[in-house]
Amino acid sequence: MSSSIISLLALAGKQITIYLGTFTLVVGVIGGLLNVIVFLSLKTFRESSSAFYLIIMSIVNIGQLLTGLLSRIMTSGFGIDWTLTSLFYCKFRYYCFNICAEMSMTCICLAIIDQYLATSSRAQWRQWCNMKIAYRLVLLFVLIWIIHNIPFMICYDHVISITTGQVICINMNNIFQQYTIYGTTLIIGKVIPICITFVFGLLAYHNVQQLGYRTIPLVRRELDKQLTVMILVLIVFAFFTNMPFVIVYILSAMPGLTQDPVVSAQIQFANLVTTYLVYIYFAVSILKLNI
């Protein structure tokens, strides 16, 4: 009975990977390219620092889908694991994926903070919302995440599995592995961005409600409302697609829950489903920017 449940979950996971994964990848990449074109083609958005953060977010989301989701589809869906055939890709995939993931969350945080400042009643705060500062912040955080993720290029390597005798691509440093699980994935990748976007999202929403009482040009007022609503929708969507992953990810890190084969298979299946929820966020968030 237990073996049939495990086999059924494995089959369902493979089908989800092939069909849902492929659909998410195609929609996300095409939507991302269209989003960049739309934002760059409109002068009002080209001159907005918040829109600039969203453009960068769209670009790194495409990178995340190509390095993370595409490789997962090929490995789990078709049995083609590029990390096993190339040592460089074994190291580069996790390195590039984490840079894109962290930069994506950074951009949505910067965008909502920027909108909070842009809609503030204090003129000195609104002065912080300009393209010059936006360029510098993006460059700064790109450099930070590039340096921060260098251990992925060092610690990941090809080793021979004791159980299967096959080459596998794994993290060779146990300390860095623990930091990756709790520090990079949970704290930096999920908890901190969710807290920042939640707090500044509420503050920006409050500011937008007060825009009608200020002497602001109509075009500027409508642009601020549009961008703020757009980012708030992304934040809400991010919360409901990322939180299930956080919960399952914590459960999968508990050794006591993975000793039973059936429970372990169920957690792995739940991890797969919630992982695709996160990928759907990165793909659909791109489309929401075009709407």
Side-chain angles (χ1 to χ4, degrees):
M1 181 64 180
S2 60
S3 60
S4 62
I5 294 176
I6 295 173
S7 300
L8 182 62
L9 290 175
L11 177 62
K14 183 176 182 179
Q15 297 303 310
I16 290 174
T17 297
I18 294 174
Y19 295 105
L20 179 60
T22 302
F23 177 77
T24 303
L25 176 66
V26 172
V27 170
V29 172
I30 295 176
L33 295 175
L34 291 175
N35 184 60
V36 173
I37 294 172
V38 169
F39 269 84
L40 293 178
S41 63
L42 299 176
K43 183 179 179 181
T44 52
F45 287 124
R46 288 201 307 269
E47 297 175 348
S48 169
S49 50
S50 290
F52 174 70
Y53 295 131
L54 297 180
I55 292 173
I56 300 300
M57 187 185 75
S58 297
I59 295 173
V60 295
N61 281 356
I62 294 175
Q64 197 171 17
L65 292 173
L66 292 176
T67 56
L69 182 55
L70 177 59
S71 182
R72 179 181 286 268
I73 292 172
M74 298 305 295
T75 302
S76 302
F78 302 99
I80 302 173
D81 193 343
W82 293 325
T83 63
L84 304 184
T85 58
S86 171
L87 178 59
F88 172 76
Y89 190 73
C90 167
K91 296 173 177 290
F92 179 77
R93 176 180 180 261
Y94 295 100
Y95 177 69
C96 185
F97 173 81
N98 279 277
I99 290 175
C100 291
E102 291 161 358
M103 196 62 210
S104 178
M105 287 300 183
T106 299
C107 284
I108 196 171
C109 290
L110 291 175
I112 192 59
I113 293 173
D114 188 87
Q115 277 307 111
Y116 163 68
L117 296 175
T119 55
S120 174
S121 59
R122 301 182 181 183
Q124 64 269 29
W125 287 11
R126 294 197 298 270
Q127 293 177 357
W128 286 91
C129 303
N130 60 75
M131 294 300 295
K132 186 176 181 180
I133 293 178
Y135 288 141
R136 291 178 177 179
L137 285 175
V138 167
L139 179 59
L140 173 63
F141 278 104
V142 167
L143 292 175
I144 289 174
W145 298 135
I146 286 176
I147 296 171
H148 174 263
N149 289 289
I150 287 177
F152 281 99
M153 295 291 288
I154 300 172
C155 296
Y156 272 83
D157 203 351
H158 280 167
V159 298
I160 304 298
S161 174
I162 299 176
T163 56
T164 63
Q166 302 294 321
V167 175
I168 56 176
C169 174
I170 62 171
N171 187 342
M172 298 293 293
N173 189 304
N174 291 329
I175 296 177
F176 181 64
Q177 177 67 17
Q178 293 301 311
Y179 174 73
T180 300
I181 294 173
Y182 299 103
T184 301
T185 303
L186 288 182
I187 305 301
I188 296 177
K190 304 299 178 186
V191 176
I192 293 178
I194 288 174
C195 292
I196 291 175
T197 53
F198 178 77
V199 172
F200 282 94
L202 292 177
L203 295 174
Y205 178 79
H206 177 267
N207 287 347
V208 168
Q209 300 302 307
Q210 307 300 318
L211 287 179
Y213 302 101
R214 304 177 197 163
T215 56
I216 303 173
L218 181 60
V219 175
R220 177 65 186 180
R221 183 189 307 170
E222 292 303 316
L223 178 62
D224 283 334
K225 285 184 178 180
Q226 181 182 0
L227 284 171
T228 303
V229 171
M230 187 186 300
I231 297 170
L232 287 175
V233 170
L234 288 178
I235 291 171
V236 173
F237 190 68
F239 178 82
F240 286 104
T241 52
N242 281 268
M243 281 308 297
F245 173 82
V246 172
I247 296 171
V248 174
Y249 194 80
I250 293 174
L251 291 176
S252 63
M254 297 179 179
L257 294 177
T258 57
Q259 292 179 353
D260 184 278
V262 176
V263 175
S264 178
Q266 291 172 340
I267 291 178
Q268 289 179 7
F269 181 75
N271 185 271
L272 181 139
V273 173
T274 54
T275 297
Y276 278 105
L277 279 178
V278 176
Y279 280 121
I280 288 173
Y281 157 72
F282 289 116
V284 175
S285 64
I286 291 172
L287 294 180
K288 287 182 178 294
L289 300 179
N290 285 314
I291 297 176

